[in-house]
Each structure stands twice: as structure tokens, then as C-alpha cells.
Amino acid sequence: MSKYIIKMENIIREYPFKGGVVKALRGANFKIKRGECISIMGPSGSGKSTLMNVIGCLDRQTSGTYILDNIDVNTLNTDERADIRKKIIGFVFQSYNLLPKTSALRNVEMPMIYAKMKRKTRLERSEELLGLVGLSHRIHHLPSEMSGGERQRVSIARSLANDPDFILADEPTGNLDSVMSAEIMKILKNLNDQGKTIIIVTHEAEIANQTQRVLHLRDGIITD
Amino acid sequence: MIELLIESLRVSLDSVKANKLRSFLTTLGIIIGVMTIIIVVSIIDGLESQVMSTFSSLGTNVIYVQRRGWIMRGGSDWRKTRTNYVDMNDYYKMQDLSTTAEEIGISISNYKNIKYINEKLEMINIDGISASCMSIQNFEVDVGLTLSENDIKMKKNVCLIGKDISDNLFFGANPIGKWLTIDGNKFLIKGILTEKGSFFGQSQDEIVLIPYTVMLKYYPTEKRHITILLSSNDPEETIEEARWVMRISHSLKQGDDDDFSINTQDALMEQWKSLTTSIFLVMIAIGSLSLMVGGIGIMNIMLVSVSERTREIGIRKSIGARNKEILLQFLFEAMTVSLVGGVVGIIVGISVAFTISKVAHLPFAIQIWSVLTGFLFSLGVGLFFGIFPARKAAKLDPVECLRYE
Ligand SMILES: Nc1ncnc2c1ncn2[C@@H]1O[C@H](COP(=O)(O)OP(=O)(O)OP(=O)(O)O)[C@@H](O)[C@H]1O
Ligand SMILES: [Mg+2]
């Protein structure tokens, strides 16, 4: 097992746009160690979400090498990338991205359905994870029946469902007030204490300062 | 895979429940299509068994020589075909020349008013027959005596009455030995016929049989409107022979068309079969068309569903769903909607078929294969028309989906 879970070399991501191109990432060069809690910080439009999509294997870079856990992600096909998202990465989004009209319990259960876990195990684990984020009393609630902070905690529980190697959080506190933000950061730091690698994308210095290391992204360029 | 199926089923049932009216309208085509198939198959089946049983009650292998044909020959207008009377001379010729017919009979049909004391019945079928017709036409005497050769020869005013006549004129009293008035003339009732049931909705028991000689005595012009009946063990041979006899009797030259008709139940049955087959085909075409329309409706609603749930697709992909799993989810959903329509169609179809059979007094039967066809067709339609939207959903880019508002 490599010491580095993520290695980025000269990652460039261009979007075709009105005949020309938009360079959202002009060169990302950094490494992230296993067990780190780091933040990627940058102003709006600097390419944070773009970088996060590449790290999360949701998007492909235009050029450059992305080594995730000793695998060159660019060589993987669509199904293999889906499997990486399922097993190695846990996503936490700014807008929660929970399935609507679906209970907290089923939302947390969903990644385990795709991982083909047994129903009994799934239900036990979902309850356990919701307990971990302090939502034992809300397991049958729908997202629409929960506060923003509660929804974000459900999404953290969901990100943990298949015991991923790292959690990728894009502005996890972006829609929350300071009390709720502190709550979410506490949970993420706890997870880091238990050995999970945490990557937080944010434009807020207050949030970035709570992590062990801050990477600055400016105009699509980032180095460590 | 099973888990995914259950999951997809849950998701699709949820969305069906959430959009009840929309789902109903979507599946209307499927419902109508499946319903049509079930109803048509059931009704035609009922008619078929009804018709088969009544055909045999008419007497099988009977050949009817008449002026007019029962069925129109393809293309030729019967009005334009020259026809001539079939009369007593033809009957005598047939008796002289036929060697293959088992029995030869004559029947002269007429419609007259009848009465007994003050009870009257109007326009009752009076058949003047020869004694041989009793066996040729499967008439049986239930109570009393039959028409004898002597009755015919001596032109006796005697008659046999059908069950309906007995019921409607005598109300349970014994009619035998009573005098029935037919068009002003009195006839002695000798016997009551065994019930035959109805044929194409027409009772065969509302009938009075008298000697044909008596019919000719009162209505001499009817001698030009007779039916010659032949029974035979070798119908084909007898048909050919009857034709030969008739051509001689009508002095037709070689090359002249027949100016008479030889009718058999087989030919009628064939006509009936081709009629039901074409009704069947038309209805199946209508059924398929509605299934088509239903399928397009399903495709449409699934495309709407895919775009409504773009974000959901992105979420599912981000947590590890493979493209194939997204495809299956939407495919199962299309099939569920379609199948629900199919099942509703089957249930409604069976109920409607049952009601029709009760109203029309037909035997009721539902063929397993028609239910199965409805079932499989609705599944197939869901599969066929669901595949395009499902593939569209599967191919969506997760980043685009997650950005989608
Ligand atoms: N699909 C796309 N097509 C064209 N340009 C794009 C696309 N996605 C992003 N961009 C551009 O790439 C740049 C970086 O976008 P990105 O969403 O990564 O910024 P961000 O740092 O996440 O900003 P924010 O903090 O506002 O979310 C922007 O200039 C944006 O307009
Ligand atoms: Mg962003």
C-alpha cells in the first residue's frame, strides 16, 4: 500500500466552449497521504468543483496523470470508475444530494444495494451509521422533513456506507449556519481521528484552517 | 441483481403512485389493447362453441338444393346471377335419378298467423315437409305421433308443433288432439317436437310442421319455392350428382351457369369461420395499434421521467451505480407501468367479456393463452418502448446530472 492515496501530476481540464476552450484546471500537482485531513481552498470560479469531480472519478481530466491508490484512473473504463466511486470514495455535497422522497435509512442503504450487500447487513449498518452522526431518531424521516444540518449528516452517513478510503466533501458547510457548520466539521474531524482520509473543498478560510493542511487553488493552478 | 430488481420495482411503484392520473393515461393504450384481445378471443370462442353445437342440431351432412345460395360467392353479385325456380319437377327428377342420396326430402317454408281458440301468434314459420325430412332434419317427436307417409299422401290436415308454440298457445295444457288454426284452416295436432334450442339467436322451436302436400293444396304458388333436401354418407359425390340432375331438369346447356344453388352447412360453416377470422384479425389489428400507441405513451412518459430525475441519476452514479444498473432501473420501471396496464386490461377485459356473454346468452370461456398473450404483450411493449429512454438515462454524464437543477 502506497503512502499516498492521491497523486496528481499536471492535471489539466478544458471545457470546449463557443468554438474555443475554457481552462478550468491549468495544472494540478499535489499528493495526499493516507489519513490526512486536508482542504482545497480557492475563490469562486477557480476550478474547485472541477478538481473535485476529477478526484471523485466523476469526470476525466483532459491531460495529466491521476494515480489513485496506485491505479492510473485514466486507464479505467466507465464500470471500473463506478466501482471506485462505490468502494473507495465517499461523497459529501454542498447541496446534500439525497434521493428525494426516500427515507434517511434508505438513502444510507442505497450505496450498499449497489455493492450487493445482504439486506440484513445493510439495514444494521445504515442504522449504525445514522447513530454515528446522531440521527438515530430520524431514520424514517424524508429529506424534506429534515433541517439542512440533519440532511448533511445523513449524507455523511451515506458516504461512509461502503467504508471508503477517503471522503470527498465539496463545500459541505456551504449551505449551513455556523452552529451547524461546526457540528459537521466535528463529525468529519472525528472520522479523520478514526483514520479516514478527508478532503474538504471550500472557499472559506475558517473551514480550511480547521484542517491539517491547506492547498490553494488559483486560476486552475494548485501545488503543494 | 434481485436486489436491484426489487429496488427498481419500489422506485417505479412509487412513481406510479405519485402520478396516478399520468400513469393511468399513459397505460390507457395498453389497457385498451390488452382488453380488446381478451374480449375478442373470449367472445369469438363463445360464439364458436355455440355455433358448432347448433350446426350439428340442424342435421349434419344435409344438402339443400334451392334457388338462392346461402353465401355470396366472392365477387359475383347474386342479383346479377340468373336464377330459376326450384320446383316440384326438380324434386321428382331427383327422386328418379339420384343414386347416392340416402334420403330425399322436400321442404316448403312459409310464414303465417296461427291461433288456438283466442290465443294468437303471428308470422310463425310453417314448414310443409315430406316424411323423410323428419330424419334428414333431425326432427324428433317428444310427445304424440309423427307425420306418416299416409298423412302426406292423403293430404291430411295434421301438424306437429315446436316447444315454443306449445308453451305459448297452450300454457301447459295438452295440445295433442286439439285443432290449430293456421291462416284460417284447421289442423289436428298430432305431436310435439323435441326442443332444438336457438340458432344465431333465432329459436328453432317456434315452428309448425305440416305435410307438404297440404301446403301446396292451400298455397299452390309455393310449388315454385321448394327446397330439396338430400342426406348422404358421401356428400361430395351427392353434391356432384345433385348438380347433374338439376342441370338436366333445368335443361341447361354446356357452358351455361347453374341457375340454382346447392347449399351445405360445411360451406356455411366455412363462411362463418372466415367471417370470424376477419373480425378476429381486425380486432387484433386494433388491439396491436392501441398497444403501439400505449407503448409510445410509455416511451414519452419515461423520457419525461428521465429528465425529471436527472439529478437522481447523477446521485445514483456518484454513489457507485453502473450504467447498466441505471438502464435496468428505468427499463423495469417502464415494464412495471406497462404490466400494470396489462393486468388492468386483463381484468377489465374478462369482466366485459363475462358481461357480454351473459347478455348475449353465450357460453363464457377465457383462454389461458389469451391472458398470457395480454400479459406478455404488455411486458414486451414496456421492454421495447422502455429501452430507448432507459439507455438515454444510462448514458448521461454524472457531472452534468449533478449540476442539473
Ligand atoms: N461544463 C462546463 N462548460 C464550460 N465551462 C465550465 C464548465 N464547468 C465549469 N466551467 C468553468 O470552469 C471554471 C471553474 O469552474 P468550477 O465550477 O470548477 O469553479 P468553482 O471553483 O467550483 O467555483 P464555485 O466556488 O463558484 O463553485 C469556471 O470558469 C466555469 O465557468
Ligand atoms: Mg463549485
Side-chain angles (χ1 to χ4, degrees):
Chain A
M1 209 196 279
S2 160
K3 180 175 156 196
Y4 295 105
I5 188 163
I6 287 169
K7 279 190 264 185
M8 292 270 174
E9 281 169 33
N10 281 325
I11 294 289
I12 292 173
R13 177 66 168 106
E14 295 169 349
Y15 293 106
F17 187 74
K18 282 188 182 165
V21 289
V22 178
K23 292 198 171 185
L25 286 178
R26 297 157 174 273
N29 286 285
F30 62 90
K31 293 180 184 137
I32 296 173
K33 282 192 226 110
R34 243 168 233 289
E36 263 193 301
C37 177
I38 87 160
S39 55
I40 295 172
M41 209 180 107
S44 181
S46 57
K48 298 187 300 293
S49 295
T50 309
L51 178 61
M52 144 119 188
N53 289 335
V54 173
I55 298 174
C57 295
L58 288 164
D59 196 9
R60 282 175 193 271
Q61 69 270 31
T62 310
S63 67
T65 319
Y66 169 23
I67 307 287
L68 187 146
D69 205 9
N70 284 339
I71 309 163
D72 183 350
V73 173
N74 211 27
T75 63
L76 303 179
N77 66 26
T78 314
D79 281 350
E80 289 164 335
R81 293 158 68 86
D83 289 347
I84 286 196
R85 293 197 293 270
K86 178 162 62 193
K87 290 180 191 139
I88 300 182
I89 309 171
F91 287 92
V92 177
F93 299 96
Q94 175 175 359
S95 50
Y96 326 122
N97 278 341
L98 298 176
L99 294 179
K101 297 176 196 161
T102 307
S103 72
L105 192 71
R106 274 192 69 70
N107 261 294
V108 176
E109 192 190 346
M110 204 60 68
M112 295 186 262
I113 291 178
Y114 291 118
K116 300 181 174 60
M117 259 190 230
K118 285 209 174 65
R119 186 178 144 80
K120 195 165 168 289
T121 328
R122 285 195 324 245
L123 291 177
E124 281 170 8
R125 185 161 169 78
S126 304
E127 285 194 41
E128 185 192 316
L129 289 170
L130 283 168
L132 197 76
V133 295
L135 286 178
S136 293
H137 58 302
R138 289 277 185 272
I139 59 173
H140 296 301
H141 282 229
L142 301 178
S144 57
E145 296 162 348
M146 287 186 282
S147 75
E150 285 171 333
R151 289 187 218 183
Q152 197 58 299
R153 282 188 278 164
V154 174
S155 95
I156 291 174
R158 180 182 64 184
S159 75
L160 294 169
N162 289 327
D163 195 19
D165 289 2
F166 68 92
I167 287 178
L168 198 52
D170 187 8
E171 308 263 14
T173 60
N175 287 354
L176 303 176
D177 63 25
S178 53
V179 182
M180 281 297 173
S181 297
E183 185 75 23
I184 295 298
M185 286 309 290
K186 207 175 103 192
I187 293 172
L188 289 174
K189 276 187 278 182
N190 270 337
L191 288 169
N192 180 242
D193 291 343
Q194 288 159 30
K196 280 260 168 321
T197 309
I198 309 280
I199 302 167
I200 298 171
V201 175
T202 183
H203 67 274
E204 291 173 83
E206 284 163 61
I207 298 292
N209 291 339
Q210 296 179 48
T211 60
Q212 298 157 2
R213 191 155 69 102
V214 184
L215 297 178
H216 290 277
L217 180 59
R218 270 185 210 96
D219 295 332
I221 296 176
I222 183 170
T223 41
D224 49 3
Chain B
M1 185 65 197
I2 292 290
E3 284 294 330
L4 193 71
L5 201 145
I6 294 171
E7 164 66 15
S8 308
L9 226 63
R10 275 172 85 152
V11 171
S12 50
L13 285 177
D14 279 352
S15 71
V16 168
K17 260 188 271 169
N19 304 294
K20 283 196 196 74
L21 183 64
R22 190 170 91 177
S23 308
F24 171 72
L25 292 175
T26 305
T27 53
L28 206 57
I30 307 277
I31 293 176
I32 292 172
V34 171
M35 195 180 84
T36 313
I37 293 174
I38 301 276
I39 294 175
V40 170
V41 170
S42 161
I43 298 290
I44 287 192
D45 237 52
L47 277 175
E48 197 99 318
S49 57
Q50 164 107 351
V51 166
M52 289 306 162
S53 70
T54 39
F55 267 133
S56 61
S57 78
L58 285 180
T60 43
N61 288 345
V62 181
I63 296 152
Y64 300 80
V65 181
Q66 289 163 308
R67 181 178 183 186
R68 305 265 187 226
W70 290 347
I71 53 178
M72 285 174 245
R73 266 174 237 104
S76 72
D77 186 345
W78 62 271
R79 264 173 280 252
K80 287 189 189 136
T81 319
R82 254 178 46 83
T83 58
N84 216 332
Y85 303 112
V86 173
D87 62 16
M88 293 307 292
N89 287 329
D90 298 324
Y91 176 52
Y92 300 138
K93 256 292 185 319
M94 197 66 78
Q95 280 180 321
D96 286 349
L97 296 179
S98 177
T99 55
T100 67
E102 292 257 299
E103 285 178 294
I104 302 176
I106 174 173
S107 174
I108 306 170
S109 248
N110 221 329
Y111 288 84
K112 297 292 172 200
N113 298 342
I114 64 174
K115 78 172 187 189
Y116 174 70
I117 308 180
N118 287 324
E119 295 298 331
K120 288 181 193 159
L121 294 175
E122 293 190 345
M123 296 306 278
I124 297 300
N125 182 14
I126 315 291
D127 273 3
I129 61 166
S130 61
S132 53
C133 280
M134 291 301 290
S135 62
I136 296 175
Q137 290 184 282
N138 268 359
F139 285 123
E140 275 169 35
V141 175
D142 188 24
V143 193
L145 300 172
T146 186
L147 294 181
S148 67
E149 291 288 359
N150 200 44
D151 292 332
I152 311 259
K153 210 164 24 176
M154 305 308 290
K155 302 186 187 173
K156 288 195 178 163
N157 274 27
V158 291
C159 68
L160 304 176
I161 60 173
K163 189 79 171 43
D164 288 0
I165 307 285
S166 160
D167 289 349
N168 296 335
L169 277 188
F170 296 92
F171 308 104
N174 183 8
I176 294 175
K178 306 275 166 38
W179 290 87
L180 180 70
T181 307
I182 304 177
D183 199 23
N185 306 302
K186 297 220 179 245
F187 286 76
L188 179 68
I189 299 172
K190 274 186 86 177
I192 304 170
L193 296 167
T194 307
E195 208 171 339
K196 268 192 169 186
S198 63
F199 183 61
F200 285 102
Q202 178 120 28
S203 170
Q204 296 185 77
D205 300 306
E206 206 181 70
I207 192 167
V208 178
L209 301 179
I210 61 173
Y212 79 93
T213 48
V214 180
M215 178 73 89
L216 291 176
K217 180 174 80 187
Y218 290 122
Y219 312 101
T221 54
E222 292 298 325
K223 72 168 187 284
R224 282 140 68 101
H225 304 290
I226 70 168
T227 300
I228 303 168
L229 295 90
L230 305 158
S231 69
S232 171
N233 289 327
D234 187 355
E236 275 176 47
E237 187 88 5
T238 307
I239 287 169
E240 269 315 297
E241 188 186 60
R243 187 161 170 252
W244 169 71
V245 172
M246 286 301 291
R247 289 184 68 90
I248 293 174
S249 180
H250 281 190
S251 328
L252 294 177
K253 293 189 203 70
Q254 201 162 10
D256 288 349
D257 287 337
D258 290 348
D259 59 359
F260 54 88
S261 286
I262 296 177
N263 297 314
T264 61
Q265 286 166 50
D266 277 358
L268 188 63
M269 197 109 88
E270 244 154 63
Q271 177 84 353
W272 161 255
K273 276 205 178 123
S274 81
L275 178 74
T276 51
T277 308
S278 39
I279 294 177
F280 189 76
L281 289 179
V282 167
M283 293 314 277
I284 292 299
I286 292 174
S288 321
L289 212 69
S290 1
L291 280 177
M292 261 298 264
V293 172
I296 291 168
I298 285 186
M299 181 153 89
N300 183 46
I301 218 67
M302 289 311 295
L303 286 171
V304 170
S305 177
V306 168
S307 83
E308 272 179 0
R309 283 151 64 192
T310 301
R311 208 178 170 85
E312 177 191 323
I313 294 166
I315 296 170
R316 287 179 184 275
K317 286 192 169 187
S318 77
I319 58 174
R322 290 184 172 197
N323 288 0
K324 202 181 78 191
E325 290 165 331
I326 300 290
L327 181 120
L328 286 178
Q329 181 193 325
F330 280 89
L331 202 54
F332 285 150
E333 182 170 333
M335 285 163 79
T336 307
V337 172
S338 181
L339 196 62
V340 168
V343 170
V344 172
I346 289 171
I347 294 168
V348 176
I350 290 177
S351 336
V352 172
F354 182 76
T355 313
I356 292 179
S357 74
K358 278 279 157 286
V359 171
H361 302 289
L362 289 173
F364 173 71
I366 286 293
Q367 297 282 340
I368 282 295
W369 70 260
S370 75
V371 172
L372 220 68
T373 307
F375 202 76
L376 291 179
F377 261 111
S378 53
L379 261 187
V381 164
L383 183 71
F384 184 79
F385 289 94
I387 195 94
F388 174 67
R391 285 183 57 158
K392 198 179 155 186
K395 280 196 292 204
L396 288 176
D397 175 47
V399 176
E400 298 290 333
C401 291
L402 286 170
R403 224 205 307 270
Y404 189 87
E405 292 304 325

